[in-house]
């Protein structure tokens, strides 16, 4: 496609000069994924600014049988938005489609385009005293369309759910250019099959999501943020149950952090201090948001945590006393990946099991990994309330990256086989992309794969939507 | 199929004598739908007691190209579980598959079979101090599988969502007998397309749901139930927003009731009294559930409602002071359909718009209906918090049913056309079944219909799953 073919000329006409990137320097940012696992090639990045343009692009590419790779903020962990190495695929960036089309505080909904940065969506909701609860590390650069296509999770899933739970309707351009207008911001609509959830989490392999009707919530008037020390994950699970009952399910965040992760953060990340006296094997960062009526919440939580300490369920606890301290508590959790990078290469797993079995899973998984890499430093943290662990292993102190990374296949196999025994998921929130395609075939129920392939064939018979991803 | 063909003999062998009904008296209950809109015919009702039996049945019927109509508690409003008149279809009752397979309070999940009566599922959750929040009028006889297949709504959708929102995984038997095992009770699992939500709400046209992994919640320790008088729906919408903010989104029920509905109930249903002094044009039944910490909730709600009255937002309010009174408040809402039957035939609509536009929709819809039936008695009530109205019209006092029902096509057209102008839904929670198939074709976005048909073709190429329903 290096010369201006008929297709290229037509695509240029569709998107205009601002939407047509074909110079090497302009293309470069689209060739490498966030984790730098893949480097693809392409001669063309299209940046349409309307649904009609996306429709025209897809029609042309479908007729020409050219693969299209949709990309949002390019913050994914599985290479799902990187084109193939052979340069045959076109990249479709939604970044210019970033309008908030409408917002309706009394209906608690917003219609936003796929290119909106997540933080902009959050801000638009806050501006009308509402909450869009999706929250994750990359919210300053990730885009709504990417969050949708990967069914993003994050730190408020416990109370508000994943992206799928936050969406009422979608506008989607199908692989052949037809526009599926399902943007109704209705809470109830039982008129036929649920197509919305088919596109959410499909990682761009079934169509291009161009806009979404998002659910909004009340903004909590009071928020209690606590950092708690516990002796083991089992006690953390019991504490979660206790606090869910105590608050009437108002716990929005419940993150498990091992001592080693806290130490790495304190050592490598600025403006951090240990909120608790003494060392604890495990920590929980938790947050509870409540309405205006609840001025006594903070005091009540203090009393409840004191009772939990009395009973030996927790070892210590500190409540954030200011917004600054709250931010610091969050920094202790959110900079774990960055802190981990300071100690060399790591082998990562984004897995889930039931919350009740998570403590036992951690014990068994550590034992398996230690048999393969006795000195590997296991940094296993994550969203305990969702049963979702980021089970990561950093290379041994003093070892070299390369020899450690050679253990990756063995370690991955051990961890994922264990996940299978627990009936868990090998990709809790990061998706499949390119990274876990082989693992998907290995671990997914074969009938589920057959049904997925049948649906892919039905909706994208020419196989032009994000080829080589997921399936 | 009146003689014992090869297929019949094989099916008898699969389910055994207890699962094989072919006598007229045994078949009778399966021939007529709940609303008595349809009377079908069949020579065989199968009642398998395991997923393997369902699988064997589907394999045999698929090979023989015999249509299969799954049925749960037969409480649907759209004839979705009634066989066709020609007697060519087999009915598949899930009633014997009613095991709670497992329950995990720390993971807040339960795995239950499709034949479980909803009330049994609620009770099993309560027995481990958890809440399964799906709640609707027919909960004593409707079955989980039917709730799933119709994506049931009910009176707690505002806080907890519809059936789709309450399910983590499904076990489904596909039309050719393959078993899709997606029963994982995981809160996060981003491994490929979301097949679960395709079967939920498909009304048995894509496969047979045999079991589900259900989400559970904390049981509210305190519940405040209030009956509120307001001058118009607009004020009710504002009150909802106020209370959502006030309680931190703990409002679980917010039902709109017009004066005429209350009067009908007081007149025709025993053990009911008007909770408020004087007459109000509209009422709201609302409920707020909170956790253990919140002993002051009741007092706080009282103060907040007093403030709303002071400001003219509401006209009067009463809080239930006992469980008996709470039940009476609920009876005022839940017996409206029964009370309405006392005054003759009615023409019903189960529609939704945005909550913010619902007041204006009511005004316009009443105007349109009055132009067609000036004396028709409009009883329009429902789930205001979800934008879902049951917009029903009873025949004029003294008129006869038959001449009134002749207006149905005109009234339906007027109401549904108005819904279309509002971008609303012609079936908010009752589904399509057989009743609204033509309406679906008229009002659904044509591309959505095309995609639905493509999916149906991909999963059920022989068209044996609940033929003649939805599509």
């Amino acid at each position: 496609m290096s010369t201006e073919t008929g297709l290229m000329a037509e695509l240029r006409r569709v998107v205009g000069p601002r939407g047509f990137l074909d110079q090497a320097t302009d293309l470069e940012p689209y060739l490498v994924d966030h984790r730098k696992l893949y480097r693809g090639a392409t001669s063309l990045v299209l940046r349409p600014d309307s649904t009609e343009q996306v429709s025209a692009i897809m029609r042309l590419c479908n007729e020409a049988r050219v693969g299209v790779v949709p990309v949002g903020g390019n913050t994914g962990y599985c290479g799902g938005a990187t084109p193939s190495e052979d340069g045959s695929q076109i990249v479709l960036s939604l970044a210019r489609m970033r309008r908030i089309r409408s917002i309706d505080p009394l209906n608690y909904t917003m219609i936003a385009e796929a290119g909106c940065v997540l933080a902009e969506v959050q801000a638009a909701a806050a501006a009308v005293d509402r909450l869009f609860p999706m929250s994750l590390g990359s919210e300053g650069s990730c885009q709504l369309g990417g969050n949708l296509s990967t069914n993003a999770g994050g730190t408020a899933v416990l109370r508000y759910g994943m992206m799928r739970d936050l969406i009422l309707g979608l506008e989607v351009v199908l692989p052949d250019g037809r526009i599926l207008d399902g943007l109704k911001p209705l809470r109830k609509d039982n008129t036929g099959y649920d197509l919305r959830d088919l596109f959410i989490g499909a990682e761009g392999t079934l169509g291009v999501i161009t806009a979404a009707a998002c659910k909004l919530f009340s903004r909590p008037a009071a928020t209690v943020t606590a950092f708690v020390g516990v002796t083991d994950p089992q006690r953390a699970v019991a504490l979660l149950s206790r606090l869910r009952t105590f608050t009437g399910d108002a716990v929005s965040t419940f993150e498990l952090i091992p001592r080693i992760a806290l130490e790495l953060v304190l050592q490598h990340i600025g403006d951090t201090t240990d909120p608790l006296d003494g060392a604890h094997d495990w920590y929980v960062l938790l947050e509870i948001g409540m309405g205006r009526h609840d001025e006594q919440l903070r005091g009540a939580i203090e009393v409840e945590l004191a009772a939990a300490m009395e009973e030996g369920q927790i070892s210590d606890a500190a409540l954030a006393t200011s917004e600054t301290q709250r931010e610091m508590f969050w920094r202790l959790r959110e900079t774990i990946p960055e802190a981990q990078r300071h100690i060399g290469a790591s082998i990562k797993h984004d897995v889930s099991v039931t919350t009740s079995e998570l403590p036992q899973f951690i014990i068994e998984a550590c034992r398996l990994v230690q048999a393969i890499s006795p000195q590997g430093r296991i940094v296993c943290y994550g969203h305990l309330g969702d049963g979702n662990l980021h089970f990561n292993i950093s290379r041994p102190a003093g070892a070299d990256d390369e020899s450690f990374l050679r253990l990756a296949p063995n370690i991955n196999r051990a961890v994922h086989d264990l996940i299978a025994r627990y009936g868990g998921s090998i990709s809790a929130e990061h998706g499949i992309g390119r990274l876990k395609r082989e693992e998907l075939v290995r671990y997914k129920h074969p009938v589920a794969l057959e049904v997925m392939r049948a649906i892919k064939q039905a909706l994208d018979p020419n196989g032009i939507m994000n080829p080589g991803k997921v399936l």
Side-chain angles (χ1 to χ4, degrees), chain A residues 102-380:
Chain A
S102 65
I103 185 160
D104 182 349
L106 285 177
N107 195 45
Y108 287 76
T109 52
M110 176 198 306
I111 295 182
E113 292 184 345
C116 290
V117 170
L118 176 54
E120 296 170 349
V121 176
Q122 294 166 343
V128 295
D129 199 28
R130 293 289 180 258
L131 172 75
F132 185 65
M134 177 57 50
S135 177
L136 37 79
S138 61
E139 61 196 29
S141 58
C142 66
Q143 293 171 13
L144 190 63
N147 299 149
L148 287 160
S149 290
T150 57
N151 186 29
T155 52
V157 172
L158 178 56
R159 176 162 185 191
Y160 296 103
M162 298 186 68
M163 204 64 191
R164 192 185 307 290
D165 301 298
L166 301 177
I167 299 302
L168 296 168
L170 290 183
E171 180 186 82
V172 177
V173 176
L174 298 176
D176 61 6
R178 281 176 299 168
I179 298 170
L180 179 62
D181 177 7
L183 261 188
K184 294 181 177 182
L186 304 174
R187 261 149 226 285
K188 288 185 170 173
D189 182 14
N190 274 347
T191 54
Y193 304 159
D194 176 45
L195 305 177
R196 171 190 70 193
D197 290 310
L198 207 49
F199 296 99
I200 297 174
E203 304 187 38
T205 62
L206 296 178
V208 183
I209 297 172
T210 48
C214 308
K215 272 189 213 171
L216 304 179
F217 293 83
S218 297
R219 287 222 296 167
T223 299
V224 173
T225 309
F227 206 82
V228 177
V230 291
T231 54
D232 51 60
Q234 190 67 56
R235 282 184 167 80
V237 170
L239 177 66
L240 172 60
S241 175
R242 177 183 197 135
L243 291 179
R244 283 190 69 164
T245 299
F246 188 70
T247 63
D249 280 338
V251 182
S252 54
T253 292
F254 203 90
E255 301 283 306
L256 185 70
I257 302 169
R259 176 74 195 167
I260 183 176
L262 181 66
E263 284 174 357
L264 285 176
V265 168
L266 294 173
Q267 198 178 337
H268 296 287
I269 309 290
D271 287 329
T272 55
T273 51
D274 191 335
L276 302 179
D277 296 328
H280 305 274
D281 286 348
W282 295 88
Y283 299 88
V284 169
L285 170 67
L286 66 91
E287 195 152 275
I288 298 164
M290 301 290 282
R292 270 200 300 117
H293 81 288
D294 209 14
E295 289 152 14
Q296 275 82 45
L297 176 67
R298 193 187 159 76
I301 301 287
E302 269 173 349
V303 169
E304 187 69 6
L305 288 176
M309 207 161 134
E310 194 80 13
E311 296 164 26
Q313 193 171 58
I314 67 173
S315 309
D316 199 2
L319 269 62
T321 54
S322 66
E323 187 56 30
T324 311
Q325 200 180 13
R326 179 183 175 227
E327 283 166 14
M328 199 273 283
F329 282 12
W330 273 99
R331 200 152 55 242
L332 296 176
R333 161 65 183 85
E334 295 208 318
T335 57
I336 295 173
E338 184 185 338
Q340 217 184 341
R341 278 197 289 275
H342 284 271
I343 60 165
S346 64
I347 298 168
K348 299 185 178 214
H349 309 89
D350 168 41
V351 295
S352 70
V353 294
T354 64
T355 298
S356 45
E357 291 192 309
L358 186 133
Q360 186 59 29
F361 172 81
I362 292 175
I363 292 169
E364 290 193 51
C366 287
R367 200 180 292 148
L368 288 171
V369 166
Q370 279 156 356
I372 300 170
S373 172
Q375 306 301 319
R377 289 168 289 181
I378 298 175
V379 183
C380 125

Side-chain angles (χ1 to χ4, degrees), chain A residues 60 63 65 283 368 438 456:
Chain A
L60 290 167
E63 284 164 7
R65 307 289 191 268
Y283 299 88
L368 288 171
E438 285 77 25
K456 170 76 175 174

Side-chain angles (χ1 to χ4, degrees), chain A residues 41-100:
Chain A
T42 189
S43 53
L44 185 58
V45 174
L46 296 175
R47 292 161 50 91
D49 78 348
S50 72
T51 306
E52 291 65 32
Q53 288 187 5
V54 176
S55 168
I57 291 166
M58 291 313 305
R59 194 169 34 75
L60 290 167
C61 290
N62 190 49
E63 284 164 7
R65 307 289 191 268
V66 170
V68 175
V69 182
V71 61
N74 198 19
T75 61
Y77 273 29
C78 299
T82 306
S84 62
E85 285 82 356
D86 65 8
S88 68
Q89 300 170 351
I90 282 175
V91 172
L92 179 67
S93 163
L94 280 298
R96 286 174 70 209
M97 290 189 62
R98 63 191 297 174
R99 283 167 288 258
I100 306 287

